Amino acid sequence: MAAPKEISSTKQFGGFNKRYEHESSTIGVPMKFTVYFPPAAEKGKVPVLYWLSGLTCTDENVIQKSGVQRDAAEKGVAIVACDTSPRGLNVEGEADSWDFGVGAGFYLNATEDKWKAWRMYDYVVKELPELLRTHFPQLDTSNASIFGHSMGGHGALTIFLKNRDKYKTVSAFAPICHPSNCPWGVKAFTGYLGSDKSKWEEYDATVLAQKFSGNKDFHILIDQGSQDNFLHQKQLLPEEFAEACKSNGIGVKLRMQDGYDHSYYTIATFMPDHITHHVKALTSS
């Protein structure tokens, strides 16, 4: 596994935002990711907190807009943010709409031939952690957690529920909670996975919560703005996920935040709570 190429570095709160590019064997094209190394990474290994972004975003959105670095620096945790889809494959129709194709990988492994390079699930769960483990000894990839926003919240919830051995806990901002039952999800799942809805269930957080039978010694935190237009358009359906969790004995706190929307203003406001949530799990063992 070749070393990633550093393409930028900026100092912030005593640590560094470093952006990298590497040849992805999973995706088949170069992929970019950013790591915020807290000051503690200069002295020893630090836990890893993976961030998954939403539709149209790249690895840079959370780095530039959320203010996550202040709390990550204070708590001594690294933030790893990856891209949301392959880019540069020039697949016909990949950029025809903002909610499918480029910038809209939905953190799944596509099974339809045309979209076979859209394997963001394997990239996040397998390739990226192995890359970090191989080339960044200051990152303790065995002590990791995951969170995300919107489509990335969907990705964080599903990846966590399918891989309890890899992540200590999970949280999300305005996640797409029941994609099999909302317009965004139906469009993406039909395009990437075909019409067989049994395949859809593998990437639906609400269905996974209903069926989950593993160790339930974790607690899920979700922040959802009450003025989120996508909430009112029935794209997110957090109440359905919360009910699925509660009916199956999974601890979940769904916080409805009055007056807040779907933007990074909301994420920045409640980011400190999410960092605290993850650090508690990452430092409990």
Side-chain angles (χ1 to χ4, degrees):
M1 183 175 285
K5 176 185 176 183
E6 182 180 312
I7 54 180
S8 68
S9 177
T10 54
K11 191 170 186 178
Q12 188 174 15
F13 298 114
F16 287 89
N17 302 300
K18 291 183 178 289
R19 198 176 191 212
Y20 300 91
E21 183 176 70
H22 73 109
E23 293 291 337
S24 170
S25 59
T26 300
I27 306 298
V29 292
M31 294 290 289
K32 294 182 175 69
F33 66 93
T34 299
V35 181
Y36 175 70
F37 295 94
E42 296 182 2
K43 301 176 182 178
K45 284 182 174 292
V46 294
V48 175
L49 180 48
Y50 294 96
W51 171 266
L52 305 183
S53 283
L55 291 164
T56 75
C57 292
T58 70
D59 57 298
E60 294 189 290
N61 293 73
V62 70
I63 299 299
Q64 296 175 351
K65 297 180 179 181
S66 73
V68 67
Q69 296 89 341
R70 182 189 296 273
D71 293 281
E74 179 182 336
K75 303 293 187 181
V77 61
I79 306 298
V80 176
C82 65
D83 206 345
T84 53
S85 78
R87 297 179 191 269
L89 285 166
N90 298 317
V91 174
E92 182 183 1
E94 68 176 16
D96 286 356
S97 58
W98 64 275
D99 55 359
F100 184 83
V102 173
F106 268 82
Y107 303 100
L108 50 73
N109 288 337
T111 56
E112 294 295 285
D113 285 345
K114 182 177 180 179
W115 305 102
K116 62 183 179 181
W118 268 249
R119 299 183 62 81
M120 292 303 297
Y121 177 88
D122 275 357
Y123 180 77
V124 170
V125 175
K126 299 177 181 179
E127 184 174 7
L128 184 56
E130 181 59 28
L131 184 76
L132 299 176
R133 189 160 41 246
T134 301
H135 296 290
F136 301 96
Q138 66 272 55
L139 301 182
D140 184 3
T141 55
S142 66
N143 191 21
S145 193
I146 191 166
F147 65 156
H149 171 231
S150 194
M151 177 185 73
H154 141 78
L157 293 172
T158 56
I159 286 172
F160 175 80
L161 290 171
K162 289 162 69 72
N163 298 275
R164 276 292 290 114
D165 60 322
K166 291 182 169 61
Y167 309 97
K168 296 296 179 64
T169 191
V170 64
S171 72
F173 298 88
I176 301 172
C177 289
H178 197 359
S180 297
N181 199 33
C182 75
W184 277 343
V186 170
K187 178 178 180 177
F189 285 3
T190 301
Y192 294 133
L193 303 172
S195 59
D196 182 355
K197 293 189 177 181
S198 66
K199 295 181 181 178
W200 298 12
E201 295 181 355
E202 298 178 30
Y203 302 102
D204 188 309
T206 297
V207 174
L208 291 172
Q210 291 169 341
K211 296 181 176 181
F212 186 81
S213 59
N215 191 314
K216 298 172 184 174
D217 62 344
F218 59 87
H219 190 89
I220 299 171
L221 172 63
I222 295 175
D223 275 314
Q224 173 62 65
S226 67
Q227 297 304 307
D228 186 330
N229 289 336
F230 300 121
L231 175 70
H232 302 300
Q233 293 171 15
K234 304 296 184 182
Q235 296 281 20
L236 307 177
L237 306 175
E239 69 285 351
E240 296 185 15
F241 176 73
E243 180 57 35
C245 287
K246 291 175 182 177
S247 66
N248 194 16
I250 297 172
V252 61
K253 180 181 285 187
L254 171 58
R255 307 194 306 185
M256 297 301 298
Q257 303 293 359
D258 186 46
Y260 286 88
D261 60 14
H262 198 73
S263 73
Y264 267 86
Y265 296 114
T266 301
I267 294 171
T269 300
F270 300 104
M271 181 62 81
D273 292 349
H274 285 247
I275 297 298
T276 298
H277 170 80
H278 288 281
V279 169
K280 182 178 179 180
L282 292 166
T283 58
S284 63
S285 55

